[in-house]
Amino acid sequence: MNYFPTTLPSAVLTTAAYLAVTNMVYLSRRSYLRKMSVQRLWQIRTTREPGVNLQLYVIILLAWQAHVMMFPIVEPIARCLGQVSFFYSYPNASGVGIIFEPRNVQHMTQSQRAKHQIRCDWHRFNVNVGGIGRDGYRHPPSITKNVPHIDMPKRNMKHWPWRRRWKNNKDKKV
């Protein structure tokens, strides 16, 4: 009859232990790939940046922990595909994202690695909503959106599906 009170502390302890282990695994893996100490990465992930309100800071921390909880599943799948995964936050754009990079580009500089990334992000950015020009892209005016999107520089894809090229003025997508 007294089943719930004895399992609740056990569930809390199990969850805390799982989070501690997965955080250490995530930070150790990232530390190895980025040639930084675990302590420095912990500081980067947990420090509230100037100008970031408390609500956004908590959302970023919770999103990071959601990624860390899924890391033991996501990282082996990414590894089978020749990738590594990283959590990123964009406090100035009020957002977060998961970045997948090929394992074989980890020795490159950040700007060189960025060309090979696949980014699954959710943050604020501007989108043109004006007429379609001869180049196939929309022109100003623009609106600000805070929506999920994908960036794949190798395929010239930025903020897809919100920014895309159109075939003609009849709004047919390419």
Side-chain angles (χ1 to χ4, degrees), residues 18-170:
Y18 179 78
L19 281 173
V21 169
T22 55
N23 270 287
M24 195 60 207
V25 169
Y26 174 79
L27 291 170
S28 296
R29 173 79 167 139
R30 186 150 182 199
S31 169
Y32 172 76
L33 292 170
R34 291 293 185 253
K35 312 285 188 264
M36 287 182 170
S37 71
V38 170
Q39 294 82 6
R40 178 67 184 126
L41 287 169
W42 175 259
Q43 182 183 21
I44 289 169
R45 286 274 46 100
T46 58
T47 300
R48 185 171 154 196
E49 294 186 28
V52 173
N53 66 42
L54 183 61
Q55 181 182 6
L56 178 59
Y57 174 70
V58 170
I59 289 169
I60 288 171
L61 284 179
L62 290 174
W64 174 49
Q65 288 307 291
H67 175 68
V68 167
M69 288 174 66
M70 300 288 289
F71 186 74
I73 298 166
V74 171
E75 191 64 13
I77 293 169
R79 189 170 174 85
C80 287
L81 299 171
Q83 305 279 316
V84 293
S85 66
F86 300 105
F87 175 84
Y88 271 81
S89 59
Y90 311 101
N92 292 334
S94 301
V96 297
I98 306 296
I99 295 176
F100 294 94
E101 286 181 351
R103 284 190 347 226
N104 63 355
V105 302
Q106 297 306 302
H107 65 283
M108 296 178 175
T109 64
Q110 198 285 324
S111 62
Q112 291 172 329
R113 283 193 323 266
K115 296 172 187 171
H116 301 275
Q117 295 174 343
I118 298 171
R119 302 173 81 104
C120 303
D121 297 337
W122 189 317
H123 62 79
R124 185 179 60 228
F125 60 95
N126 290 329
V127 177
N128 288 337
V129 293
I132 299 168
R134 283 183 274 171
D135 59 358
Y137 292 100
R138 290 199 174 273
H139 292 270
S142 64
I143 59 170
T144 300
K145 290 185 172 236
N146 193 334
V147 291
H149 57 276
I150 297 173
D151 294 336
M152 294 175 67
K154 281 279 192 191
R155 298 193 181 212
N156 292 323
M157 197 183 296
K158 184 171 181 174
H159 296 109
W160 183 87
W162 311 108
R163 287 188 182 158
R164 50 187 122 126
R165 194 169 183 184
W166 302 83
K167 280 185 181 177
N168 57 32
N169 287 343
K170 294 183 185 186

